[in-house]
Amino acid sequence: MGEDPPNPSPEEKSILFKPMIDRRSFLKGMAGVFGVSLVGVGKGYSNTDKNEILLERVPVTIPNLPAAFRGFKIAQLSDLHSSPLVSIDHLQASANLAARENPDLVVLTGDFIGHKIRTFLAKYHEFDRQYVDNIVEAFSVLKPPHGIFAVLGNHDFWSGPEATQYITDTFSKGLGVNWLRNRRVELQRGSDRIQLIGVDDLWEKTFSLRKAYQNVDPERTRILLSHNPEVNEEFQWNSGLSAELILSGHTHGGQVVLPFIGPPFLPGIRNKKFIGGLVEEEGRQTYITRGVGHLVVPLRLNCPPEVTLIELI
Ligand SMILES: [Fe+2]
């Protein structure tokens, strides 16, 4: 008789069971958006104008929040998808909305650009450094006292290592962005501290919740940045780890939301609970923003772009 195989580690379980999606599956889904969008654009419906960006104020109650952090304001900007479809003016409008609120902290939750898509009609989202430079120029108005922290999204990784390197280097140099690639930091106010944790995108091999939580104190407030909200499923393989608040994007709120039907396409989200807004899962609150930009087509339908202002209470 041979020995029983060893139990898989949390990281191995995560790779075996998490909902993977590749670029091809993503494109098939986008075909649905194309169909709906052609009708929508034809009829003149579109929520993509920079004047339609909404500032969503989201108060979040955190039971173990230290007193010095009550009223702490976090501006979240996500899914910028800087490209020919998302102009520097649009990015500037989103940054101005956030800056006007004087946030204590700014977080960027991934998908800064789109990845290259070729169809029989055209090529979309081919990587160009200009799109990254546009974000840096537009976001230069953001100077929060606790800094800017960021994680990468699936489209950033799908654009290849040269693109991700350029994004991380340029943002660090131009905006002072601190990258949370499977690591945590502490934020301090007076003698009170909370923890800010960040992970690489859920669909990447480099994603590691274990690594990110290496030095996390479970007694102290934990805010996790994860581009994909379905990071929630990963906690089942990682007992003992959790977060009081998770900040995510990725879904664009569906981007196209049909009356009575809802979004016809969701990029790899299995659990519709995680389409958007503030949701609760086993004691963890997750906020999923609709994001600033849009992908592939210049259309959002019943789903305006968003800048989020989280207030901890
Ligand atoms: Fe996105």
Side-chain angles (χ1 to χ4, degrees):
M1 276 190 20
E3 274 179 42
D4 286 340
N7 286 330
S9 68
E11 300 302 342
E12 285 165 338
K13 282 179 183 166
S14 162
I15 288 164
L16 284 172
F17 299 108
K18 75 185 174 190
M20 298 297 288
I21 186 171
D22 59 16
R23 299 163 181 78
R24 192 177 292 271
S25 315
F26 185 88
L27 278 176
K28 278 186 194 163
M30 288 312 288
V33 175
F34 262 117
V36 173
S37 302
L38 287 174
V39 176
V41 171
K43 289 186 178 294
Y45 301 132
S46 176
N47 290 142
T48 54
D49 192 88
K50 65 177 182 182
N51 297 316
E52 295 203 55
I53 306 172
L54 293 182
L55 181 84
E56 298 283 3
R57 296 174 193 276
V58 185
V60 179
T61 305
I62 294 184
N64 69 351
L65 189 70
F69 282 88
R70 292 210 187 100
F72 193 75
K73 290 186 289 181
I74 307 171
Q76 182 191 5
L77 298 107
S78 194
D79 297 83
L80 308 169
H81 291 298
S82 179
S83 68
L85 294 181
V86 180
S87 68
I88 189 165
D89 284 355
H90 190 92
L91 299 169
Q92 254 155 1
S94 71
N96 289 341
L97 272 178
R100 218 175 292 155
E101 299 296 322
N102 295 316
D104 298 295
L105 174 75
V106 169
V107 297
L108 311 174
T109 44
D111 274 8
F112 299 100
I113 53 175
H115 81 282
K116 189 162 67 181
I117 298 172
R118 272 202 192 93
T119 70
F120 59 95
L121 288 173
K123 272 190 274 183
Y124 299 87
H125 304 303
E126 193 140 29
F127 177 65
D128 189 316
R129 293 179 173 205
Q130 185 62 53
Y131 304 137
V132 178
D133 298 344
N134 284 354
I135 300 173
V136 171
E137 189 181 334
F139 280 25
S140 61
V141 292
L142 297 169
K143 300 188 189 307
H146 287 269
I148 306 178
F149 289 82
V151 292
L152 293 163
N154 55 303
H155 285 276
D156 305 317
F157 284 108
W158 288 356
S159 300
E162 188 205 324
T164 52
Q165 192 68 53
Y166 189 72
I167 294 169
T168 50
D169 288 351
T170 310
F171 279 34
S172 296
K173 243 179 263 162
L175 297 169
V177 165
N178 304 286
W179 290 95
L180 294 177
R181 299 197 60 183
N182 304 314
R183 70 183 187 99
R184 69 120 219 190
V185 292
E186 283 189 336
L187 304 176
Q188 186 155 4
R189 273 190 145 184
S191 57
D192 285 343
R193 285 176 290 164
I194 61 173
Q195 302 169 99
L196 191 63
I197 307 151
V199 282
D200 272 1
D201 185 64
L202 179 64
W203 294 339
E204 286 302 304
K205 284 202 179 84
T206 53
F207 166 88
S208 175
L209 206 56
R210 272 285 144 201
K211 201 171 158 201
Y213 272 75
Q214 246 167 19
N215 299 309
V216 167
D217 176 353
E219 302 298 318
R220 190 169 288 154
T221 304
R222 297 156 292 185
I223 299 175
L224 172 64
L225 308 184
S226 169
H227 176 66
N228 190 321
E230 287 195 317
V231 71
N232 271 282
E233 298 199 345
E234 293 296 306
F235 288 98
Q236 66 187 302
W237 315 120
N238 292 280
S239 61
L241 309 187
S242 194
E244 280 64 44
L245 176 63
I246 301 173
L247 298 177
S248 293
H250 180 59
T251 64
H252 301 192
Q255 190 167 318
V256 170
V257 179
L258 300 177
F260 309 113
I261 295 171
F265 168 66
L266 285 168
I269 292 290
R270 289 192 306 188
N271 188 345
K272 288 197 172 177
K273 179 178 180 178
F274 294 116
I275 294 175
L278 189 63
V279 296
E280 195 271 339
E281 174 87 355
E282 299 193 342
R284 291 180 299 275
Q285 300 181 84
T286 302
Y287 186 75
I288 306 120
T289 176
R290 295 187 300 272
V292 170
H294 43 274
L295 264 181
V296 183
V297 285
L299 179 75
R300 277 179 171 269
L301 196 64
N302 299 318
C303 190
E306 169 181 349
V307 169
T308 314
L309 191 73
I310 304 278
E311 187 180 355
L312 305 182
I313 51 178

